[in-house]
Amino acid sequence: MKRTGEQFRTIWQHPENPAIVQIIDQRKLPHEYVTTDLVTWQDGATAIQEMLVRGAPLIGATAAWSLYLAAIDAAGNDDNKATVLTAADALEATRPTAINLRWALDRMRKVIEASTPDKLAETLAAESRDICDEDVEISRGIGQHGLTLIEEIAARKKGEPVNVLTHCNAGSLATINYGTATAPVYFAMARGIDVHVWVDETRPRNQGSQLTAWELAENDVPHTLIVDNAGGHLMQHGQVDICLTGTDRTTRNGDVANKIGTYLKALAARDNGIPFYVALPSTTIDWTITDGLKNIPIEERDPNEVSHICGRAGDQLCTVDTVASKTRISNYAFDVTPARLITGLITECGVCDASEDGLAGLFPELARKTG
Ligand code: MRU
């Protein structure tokens, strides 16, 4: 991902002080680009819970780095491994839907068990670095495989722009770099394909207008912001060629939990004969469950996210209340799109049907291990 023309990642170790991990405070985008220091594992937990960082892969990476910070804090204690494992349990409770959190913590737990107490911090730093590097390669793989779908549409349209519709932010900001749903778009741009993205605003937290639109603009990708309810209308009028979204958890049979409203886009796409693809790293597959509607926990968040809107007034960031105080509010953060509405899944290993056979065909070992 570029910002003001420079490549960067979403989480990194402080260049002068390796005991500090740095992130972008995504709550302030697009108006302010502010980086924040994580010094303790509790800083990491707060960053996840209060959504300074968000997006399934970045949540997992932040949790991993938080355990490294816990190990620094516990260095020299006899029970440092136990202390770090307690931090892992607390981090796991920060956000319930995105499976990458559990995936990253389980991977770190194995490393903690295997490490000697005196090497704990450096071992956890190395593992966190690996998780981030691997995530970049995974996004690159998704980009390459998703590119073929965009190329096919571009060939059919004989040079007319390919119109992609996306929901929420499944971009570089949700991962370490490139994103999942945005990776094929960035790869298509690099190939010189004329591509245009319809960006769903994505209420209530506006990840579309505040994050996706920002990163597309920084990377010179033509895009147009729309309200969440506009997608169906655009599809009816032939203005969407393909829907590309991310996912926070995918069941072994291909049901997908993603930001609230994704399901409605899939319904509209099906009604209009438009391909609906979900881009995902294999780290987002929960091989232990098969029924997304029954088994994926859906996070409910603070009603204030619905009633209050944050924006810029003059040169100040401010928040305003838009709802009568007696009105009851519910705030479901995710919904489940059943596999039957999904045209295909784009992974780092290829594109497959949204089905158990499709996923197991691409990831036979993972499917066997937890089958
Ligand atoms: O609540 P958020 O902002 O963490 O939700 C993020 C999403 O729903 C993304 O689409 C999903 O994590 C996929 S990101 C590669």
Side-chain angles (χ1 to χ4, degrees):
M1 170 175 55
K2 285 195 203 134
R3 188 183 78 92
T4 54
E6 301 281 318
Q7 277 292 344
F8 72 106
R9 288 186 174 193
T10 52
I11 188 164
W12 62 92
Q13 251 174 314
H14 193 294
E16 275 120 46
N17 182 353
I20 294 175
V21 173
Q22 295 189 294
I23 55 166
I24 304 160
D25 184 348
Q26 299 192 15
R27 298 169 308 176
K28 298 203 160 57
L29 289 171
H31 303 301
E32 291 175 9
Y33 177 86
V34 175
T35 61
T36 298
D37 291 349
L38 307 180
V39 181
T40 64
W41 73 263
Q42 289 93 339
D43 292 341
T46 304
I48 297 170
Q49 202 149 35
E50 296 186 4
M51 291 176 71
L52 283 73
V53 291
R54 22 70 49 210
L58 181 56
I59 289 170
T62 306
W65 278 112
S66 299
L67 292 185
Y68 157 67
L69 297 174
I72 294 177
D73 197 37
N77 299 354
D78 290 346
D79 57 352
N80 65 340
K81 286 170 69 163
T83 306
V84 176
L85 286 169
T86 305
D89 293 344
L91 282 155
E92 190 163 339
T94 50
R95 292 200 69 191
T97 303
I99 192 67
N100 298 59
L101 180 58
R102 189 176 84 198
W103 170 85
L105 290 170
D106 282 348
R107 179 165 159 170
M108 298 295 277
R109 283 181 179 112
K110 284 190 195 131
V111 174
I112 295 165
E113 301 290 357
S115 170
T116 55
D118 57 317
K119 296 263 185 270
L120 190 59
E122 72 184 78
T123 313
L124 294 185
E127 195 67 13
S128 304
R129 229 171 275 125
D130 285 352
I131 286 176
C132 291
D133 291 346
E134 287 167 28
D135 189 69
V136 174
E137 289 317 307
I138 284 173
S139 287
R140 228 192 280 273
I142 292 171
Q144 267 149 4
H145 291 294
L147 168 64
T148 57
L149 301 171
I150 295 181
E151 279 176 330
E152 278 162 28
I153 298 169
R156 224 175 31 241
K157 292 190 79 179
K158 299 189 180 15
E160 288 290 300
V162 176
N163 288 303
V164 176
L165 183 140
T166 194
H167 191 68
C168 193
N169 173 261
S172 304
L173 288 166
T175 61
I176 307 302
N177 202 349
Y178 301 116
T180 56
T182 55
V185 171
Y186 291 136
F187 276 69
M189 283 284 292
R191 244 335 130 77
I193 296 173
D194 196 353
V195 61
H196 164 263
V197 183
W198 295 108
V199 179
D200 277 355
E201 175 186 36
T202 317
R203 285 279 293 140
R205 287 192 70 107
N206 293 323
Q207 288 95 330
S209 59
Q210 299 189 335
L211 304 179
T212 305
W214 177 79
E215 70 165 80
L216 292 178
E218 290 290 325
N219 288 277
D220 301 317
V221 179
H223 63 283
T224 306
L225 179 67
I226 49 175
V227 295
D228 288 333
N229 295 326
H233 168 78
L234 292 171
M235 292 185 208
Q236 286 173 320
H237 290 273
Q239 300 208 57
V240 179
D241 297 305
I242 184 170
C243 298
L244 278 179
T245 75
T247 164
D248 291 84
R249 192 186 294 222
T250 305
T251 65
R252 71 183 286 133
N253 64 323
D255 291 346
V256 157
N258 192 48
K259 183 55 55 193
I260 192 84
T262 303
Y263 169 55
L264 293 177
K265 292 297 136 69
L267 283 174
R270 173 56 55 93
D271 191 46
N272 290 282
I274 290 161
F276 186 95
Y277 281 90
V278 177
L280 65 139
S282 54
T283 52
T284 305
I285 306 167
D286 184 346
W287 296 98
T288 66
I289 56 173
T290 48
D291 186 331
L293 277 177
K294 277 205 200 120
N295 301 136
I296 299 180
I298 299 295
E299 180 178 9
E300 287 183 60
R301 295 188 55 90
D302 190 334
N304 278 351
E305 291 184 349
V306 177
S307 56
H308 289 63
I309 300 224
C310 175
R312 186 168 62 185
D315 52 10
Q316 297 285 319
L317 286 188
C318 65
T319 300
V320 293
D321 189 353
T322 64
V323 178
S325 58
K326 288 184 183 158
T327 298
R328 206 171 60 166
I329 295 171
S330 73
N331 185 11
Y332 297 100
F334 300 94
D335 60 22
V336 172
T337 301
R340 68 187 151 77
L341 295 177
I342 299 169
T343 313
L345 302 173
I346 309 168
T347 77
E348 70 269 28
C349 289
V351 180
C352 69
D353 287 343
S355 68
E356 182 154 2
D357 284 352
L359 283 171
L362 291 182
F363 304 102
E365 268 181 41
L366 291 176
R368 230 186 340 263
K369 244 199 275 177
T370 39

